Amino acid sequence: MKLKRIISAFTSLVLAGSIIAVNSVMFASAKDKNETYILVEEDCSATNHKEAFSLKSKDKCAELIREGCTVVVEYTGKVVEFVLQSWTDPNGEVWGVIQPDTKKDGVATFSYKSMKNKFISEHNSDWAYLDAIHISTGPDDLTVHKAYITYGEVEKPDEDEKDPPKEDEKDKPTKEPEISTDKNIPTVSFDSRAWANYVKLTPDGKTYGLELDQVTIDSYQATTLLMNANVSVSDISGKWPSYANTIKDTDGKLVYPDSAEESAEITRIGFEIVASDFGLQNFNGCFFEFYHLFNEAAYDALLNNAVYIYPVNDNYDVPEFEPKVLKVDALTRENIDYYKKDFISLKVIPLEQAAVTKLVFEFPFMKGYEGEIFRMDNLKITLPDGSVVANVDNYNSTFKPRNESDGKIKPNKATTNEEEEFVPGAKNPTKDDKGGFNPLVIVVVVVVLGAIGLVVVILLKNKNRYY
């Protein structure tokens, strides 16, 4: 009887313990899932607009970034940013750079509302395209000690939240342009990762080997846009730069007459800025200023030794407009050794004309090219009424602009392939044309070896006969 009681008591104790354990596990799981998720709890550092922490997982990002979430970062440094990145958005790469909602005693918080406003509303993206999250810094040092996500009540929509756009409003910008109170501040300063939301490669730029990045060494101010190229002649041969049909010889004849044919295939290798990204309907009547620098190797690589800047509509149709021809100045070297200020005016395109929605910087390559080719900084957009579009990427005024007294620029290495020079529109050069591998060589070698073998056989037979 005693044994039965002992067994019964033991069984009850085990069951009670199991229930407590299960409840504890369930509570812990609920807490991890619904209240707090640790991103990192060991020190990680970064400087010069780099990421101290990154999570690159579409599935994980979708799980973590949802209504009610708040990102909390414990850090040491001057600037801390939370960044939402997409490289799968069909409209182009998105960098949603979010500033803290609160920042005190080395702790910064970023709300879901701020994330949504930046990634969804401002950049017209969708959570389905969120590929990565980052914690990054400005030009100064940053150390993240701990970062985690908390989950509270779902935020209610603002009472004045607008209704979904009507059918005839869907193609219009979803935001109004912000106007700067200081006309000396550039619209795009390239001082944070947010620049990538406003300066993007053209479709052909992506296809034919261009890359855009930032550079701090020998920058114009703080950080500067850097364009590298890895262009192969075999890829672009048979195609024409947009303005090849404008190049004439001393007799006034077209140098490349085939480029004027209706069947000519045109490429626009370069980068572009889009009006809607700034909350504008179009760029009609606008004025653009910027500083630029060429790599000396670009002189021989580009058609007419120049970059062509011109406006287009959404279909890349070009209006009647004389393009800005930005020459590589190999004579005075004023845009090779130093940054040079330049501009392009669209004031000749009245508001009532067909809308131009993009500004294209086209690099008409004539040779194979690898390495740095172009830098640009402090792009400013002035509207027809004289107001300036406000800065969009955290302009860093603590750095002073570079001037000639700071010395000449030493750009990164670049090379052109002299042997790969081609006439655009012609058959691309093959290895046969350049003295490389040729199947005929095999035929000749086989014949020669066969003849030698035959001579050896004859000699051996004769040797056997006389010796």
Side-chain angles (χ1 to χ4, degrees):
M1 193 72 176
K2 281 186 177 181
L3 182 60
K4 287 184 178 180
R5 287 179 179 177
I6 293 172
I7 293 173
S8 177
F10 180 78
T11 303
S12 299
L13 184 62
V14 171
L15 287 172
S18 300
I19 292 171
I20 293 172
V22 169
N23 285 336
S24 299
V25 171
M26 290 177 65
F27 175 76
S29 299
K31 183 175 180 180
D32 289 342
K33 184 176 181 182
N34 298 320
E35 294 188 10
T36 302
Y37 181 89
I38 303 297
L39 292 173
V40 62
E41 51 186 349
E42 294 182 356
D43 285 2
C44 46
S45 302
T47 190
N48 288 335
H49 305 283
K50 301 299 183 183
E51 294 80 29
F53 168 81
S54 294
L55 174 62
K56 299 179 180 180
S57 168
K58 182 184 286 287
D59 292 339
K60 199 65 181 176
C61 289
E63 175 189 336
L64 297 176
I65 305 302
R66 61 180 188 271
E67 285 191 282
C69 74
T70 299
V71 175
V72 183
V73 181
E74 299 175 7
Y75 71 100
T76 300
K78 291 184 179 180
V79 178
V80 59
E81 301 167 334
F82 188 64
V83 183
L84 303 173
Q85 182 190 7
S86 171
W87 54 78
T88 56
D89 191 312
N91 295 317
E93 188 171 14
V94 174
W95 287 85
V97 180
I98 302 148
Q99 302 304 316
D101 290 279
T102 64
K103 190 164 70 168
K104 185 178 180 181
D105 298 330
V107 179
T109 63
F110 305 84
S111 68
Y112 175 79
K113 183 177 180 180
S114 295
M115 300 178 209
K116 182 179 179 182
N117 286 342
K118 180 65 70 171
F119 193 74
I120 304 295
S121 301
E122 186 172 329
H123 294 302
N124 300 320
S125 193
D126 189 277
W127 291 127
Y129 303 127
L130 179 60
D131 297 305
I133 59 177
H134 312 279
I135 300 171
S136 65
T137 182
D140 304 301
D141 294 337
L142 169 71
T143 298
V144 174
H145 306 297
K146 184 177 181 180
Y148 54 95
I149 303 178
T150 63
Y151 298 91
E153 294 183 3
V154 174
E155 296 181 19
K156 296 179 180 179
D158 295 336
E159 293 180 2
D160 59 349
E161 188 171 339
K162 297 180 180 180
D163 294 329
K166 298 176 182 178
E167 282 296 323
D168 59 349
E169 295 179 344
K170 283 186 177 180
D171 294 333
K172 296 180 180 180
T174 58
K175 60 178 181 178
E176 293 295 324
E178 293 186 23
I179 303 302
S180 178
T181 56
D182 185 348
K183 293 185 177 182
N184 294 316
I185 295 179
T187 306
V188 187
S189 57
F190 306 97
D191 290 340
S192 79
R193 290 285 187 183
W195 69 266
N197 299 314
Y198 302 93
V199 179
K200 306 171 184 177
L201 293 176
T202 63
D204 286 337
K206 296 177 183 177
T207 300
Y208 296 110
L210 299 191
E211 291 183 354
L212 297 177
D213 203 350
Q214 292 168 291
V215 62
T216 55
I217 298 175
D218 286 336
S219 62
Y220 174 71
Q221 183 178 10
T223 54
T224 294
L225 179 72
L226 169 68
M227 193 181 89
N228 289 307
N230 186 7
V231 177
S232 170
V233 166
S234 61
D235 290 335
I236 60 176
S237 185
K239 305 172 181 66
W240 297 94
S242 297
Y243 287 91
N245 59 1
T246 65
I247 308 300
K248 297 180 179 180
D249 59 20
T250 54
D251 296 326
K253 296 180 180 180
L254 288 177
V255 176
Y256 307 114
D258 290 346
S259 66
E261 298 292 334
E262 289 187 8
S263 59
E265 186 176 351
I266 302 299
T267 58
R268 303 185 196 280
I269 303 175
F271 61 84
E272 63 189 13
I273 60 175
V274 182
S276 60
D277 290 338
F278 300 90
L280 301 171
Q281 298 289 337
N282 54 62
F283 284 141
N284 292 36
C286 290
F287 186 81
F288 302 81
E289 300 170 76
F290 55 90
Y291 290 84
H292 74 281
L293 177 87
F294 281 104
N295 190 313
E296 186 174 8
Y299 181 84
D300 290 325
L302 301 175
L303 174 74
N304 199 24
N305 320 114
V307 167
Y308 288 76
I309 311 173
Y310 54 90
V312 297
N313 63 16
D314 288 339
N315 297 320
Y316 290 93
D317 299 320
V318 183
E320 291 187 9
F321 179 83
E322 190 71 25
K324 175 78 176 185
V325 181
L326 205 61
K327 286 269 191 177
V328 183
D329 195 340
L331 182 62
T332 68
R333 301 180 62 87
E334 63 178 353
N335 62 357
I336 295 176
D337 293 334
Y338 310 99
Y339 286 92
K340 181 184 179 183
K341 185 177 182 179
D342 222 311
F343 67 90
I344 177 171
S345 175
L346 303 188
K347 294 184 180 297
V348 295
I349 303 178
L351 296 176
E352 61 270 15
Q353 279 192 14
V356 291
T357 55
K358 300 179 181 182
L359 187 68
V360 174
F361 288 67
E362 181 181 341
F363 293 74
F365 287 96
M366 298 291 285
K367 296 181 179 179
Y369 190 97
E370 184 175 359
E372 176 184 333
I373 187 166
F374 186 75
R375 298 186 187 192
M376 185 173 76
D377 208 349
N378 288 6
L379 171 67
K380 184 165 68 175
I381 304 176
T382 302
L383 302 178
D385 64 2
S387 58
V388 173
V389 179
N391 181 260
V392 294
D393 60 348
N394 304 322
Y395 175 60
N396 190 339
S397 60
T398 59
F399 286 79
K400 292 186 177 181
R402 188 183 183 92
N403 55 49
E404 291 190 9
S405 64
D406 295 319
K408 296 181 180 180
I409 305 296
K410 296 179 181 179
N412 296 318
K413 185 178 180 181
T415 57
T416 57
N417 191 329
E418 298 289 345
E419 293 185 355
E420 283 196 344
E421 185 174 6
F422 78 114
V423 176
K427 177 179 74 72
N428 62 297
T430 64
K431 292 182 179 180
D432 297 349
D433 301 328
K434 302 302 174 186
F437 171 75
N438 191 328
L440 183 59
V441 173
I442 291 181
V443 176
V444 173
V445 170
V446 169
V447 171
V448 171
L449 290 176
I452 293 173
L454 183 60
V455 169
V456 170
V457 170
I458 293 173
L459 289 174
L460 288 174
K461 286 184 176 181
N462 290 333
K463 180 180 178 181
N464 291 334
R465 177 181 299 176
Y466 295 107
Y467 296 94

